[in-house]
């Protein structure tokens, strides 16, 4: 089944403890991106990647890192999580920007205490 | 990045009635997407519009993009409980590769 898989689905962590949220797609998509969704603020893009080894900042990149060493994987790294990073996170992928739709993962609900 | 305004913010409709959601852009839309989200869950792709005047339908949902490519509408005919959820419009940037979203419209369908 073609899909975007995020792990974990739920995570509670403490301030300052490094964590990684994984994202993997099995559709050979070139484009991948990360979003956070917060009440009243909607979906905001954190980082995106046009292809392997090509990443760029979205609208809210502060406090996050990403890497794209393989086409299928696009992990989101929080080096030192803070409570304001408590949010619902989504990973998405697309064959090509502006040509096809985006497939979203099921989401990761992160709580930083 | 694009700024997208959705209206209304929420609406309640009686089962069987029609409803319309609007999405307005501050810039010309390069690609416009409609998604549906159940609360706290992932986004389900509904439709993509690219050309001015384009209209697409899937089951009872129709989306249109105006000729100027700055406004889109999503219309649901004869709403059902399965249509309840949050509808989001998204758009690619014209000169960048950022995907922006509207704040969403929460639809409640009353039996």
């Amino acid at each position: 089944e073609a899909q975007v898989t995020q792990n974990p689905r739920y995570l509670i962590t403490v301030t300052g403890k490094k964590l990684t949220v994984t994202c993997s797609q099995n559709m050979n998509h070139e484009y991948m991106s990360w979003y956070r969704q917060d009440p009243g603020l909607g979906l905001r893009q954190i980082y995106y990647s046009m292809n392997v080894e090509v990443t760029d900042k979205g609208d809210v990149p502060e406090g996050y890192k990403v890497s794209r060493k393989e086409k299928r994987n696009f992990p989101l790294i929080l080096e030192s999580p803070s409570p304001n990073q408590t949010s619902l996170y989504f990973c998405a992928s697309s064959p090509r920007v502006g040509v096809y739709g985006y497939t979203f993962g099921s989401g990761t609900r992160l709580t930083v205490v | 990045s694009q700024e997208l305004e959705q209206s209304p913010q929420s609406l309640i409709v009686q089962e069987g009635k029609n409803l319309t959601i609007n999405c307005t852009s501050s810039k010309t839309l390069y690609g416009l997407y409609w998604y549906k989200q159940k609360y706290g869950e992932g986004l389900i792709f509904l439709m993509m519009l690219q050309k001015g005047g384009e209209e697409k339908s899937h089951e009872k949902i129709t989306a249109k993009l105006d000729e100027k490519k700055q406004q889109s509408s999503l219309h649901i005919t004869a709403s059902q409980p399965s249509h309840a959820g949050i509808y989001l419009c998204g758009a690619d940037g014209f000169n960048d590769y950022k995907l922006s979203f509207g704040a969403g419209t929460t639809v409640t369908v009353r039996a």
Side-chain angles (χ1 to χ4, degrees):
Chain A
E1 182 188 352
Q3 59 186 357
V4 176
T5 303
Q6 290 179 233
N7 280 299
R9 286 293 310 275
Y10 302 92
L11 178 61
I12 300 174
T13 190
V14 296
T15 299
K17 185 177 181 182
K18 180 179 179 180
L19 67 91
T20 299
V21 184
T22 64
C23 174
S24 180
Q25 50 94 3
N26 61 359
M27 298 167 281
N28 201 37
H29 285 176
E30 290 186 352
Y31 181 94
M32 297 185 75
S33 59
W34 276 102
Y35 303 85
R36 60 179 290 174
Q37 187 175 34
D38 303 286
L41 296 175
L43 273 161
R44 295 176 293 169
Q45 194 172 40
I46 303 171
Y47 269 96
Y48 63 93
S49 170
M50 297 297 291
N51 214 323
V52 176
E53 302 291 0
V54 181
T55 63
D56 210 344
K57 296 177 181 178
D59 293 319
V60 288
E62 294 78 22
Y64 305 94
K65 286 176 60 178
V66 293
S67 68
R68 188 92 182 273
K69 296 178 182 176
E70 306 167 278
K71 201 170 190 178
R72 64 183 294 127
N73 296 321
F74 191 45
L76 180 70
I77 304 158
L78 284 72
E79 295 270 1
S80 183
S82 62
N84 64 14
Q85 293 179 297
T86 293
S87 186
L88 180 58
Y89 291 86
F90 290 102
C91 179
S93 71
S94 176
R96 267 178 65 191
V97 174
V99 178
Y100 305 97
Y102 297 78
T103 303
F104 279 78
S106 299
T108 296
R109 187 167 292 281
L110 172 66
T111 302
V112 183
V113 298
Chain B
S1 56
Q2 296 280 1
E3 289 188 1
L4 299 170
E5 282 194 20
Q6 277 187 247
S7 62
Q9 190 173 21
S10 63
L11 63 92
I12 301 171
V13 64
Q14 198 71 28
E15 184 176 356
K17 298 294 186 183
N18 302 338
L19 67 97
T20 299
I21 299 167
N22 293 304
C23 177
T24 302
S25 171
S26 58
K27 303 176 184 177
T28 300
L29 293 163
Y30 183 57
L32 188 285
Y33 309 89
W34 283 101
Y35 285 86
K36 179 185 175 185
Q37 182 183 25
K38 292 285 190 183
Y39 182 75
E41 298 181 11
L43 279 70
I44 300 167
F45 175 73
L46 296 175
M47 273 171 268
M48 176 184 178
L49 304 166
Q50 285 183 293
K51 300 174 184 176
E54 187 174 10
E55 179 176 321
K56 288 187 177 178
S57 294
H58 177 65
E59 297 180 345
K60 294 186 178 181
I61 301 176
T62 300
K64 300 178 186 179
L65 182 62
D66 75 341
E67 289 289 343
K68 291 183 178 180
K69 295 176 64 176
Q70 285 192 278
Q71 186 166 8
S72 178
S73 62
L74 185 84
H75 183 77
I76 298 176
T77 304
S79 59
Q80 301 167 353
S82 61
H83 289 127
I86 303 168
Y87 289 82
L88 295 145
C89 65
D92 295 305
F94 190 75
N95 290 317
D96 58 38
Y97 303 103
K98 298 178 182 178
L99 176 62
S100 301
F101 285 91
T105 297
T106 301
V107 172
T108 303
V109 180
R110 291 255 169 92

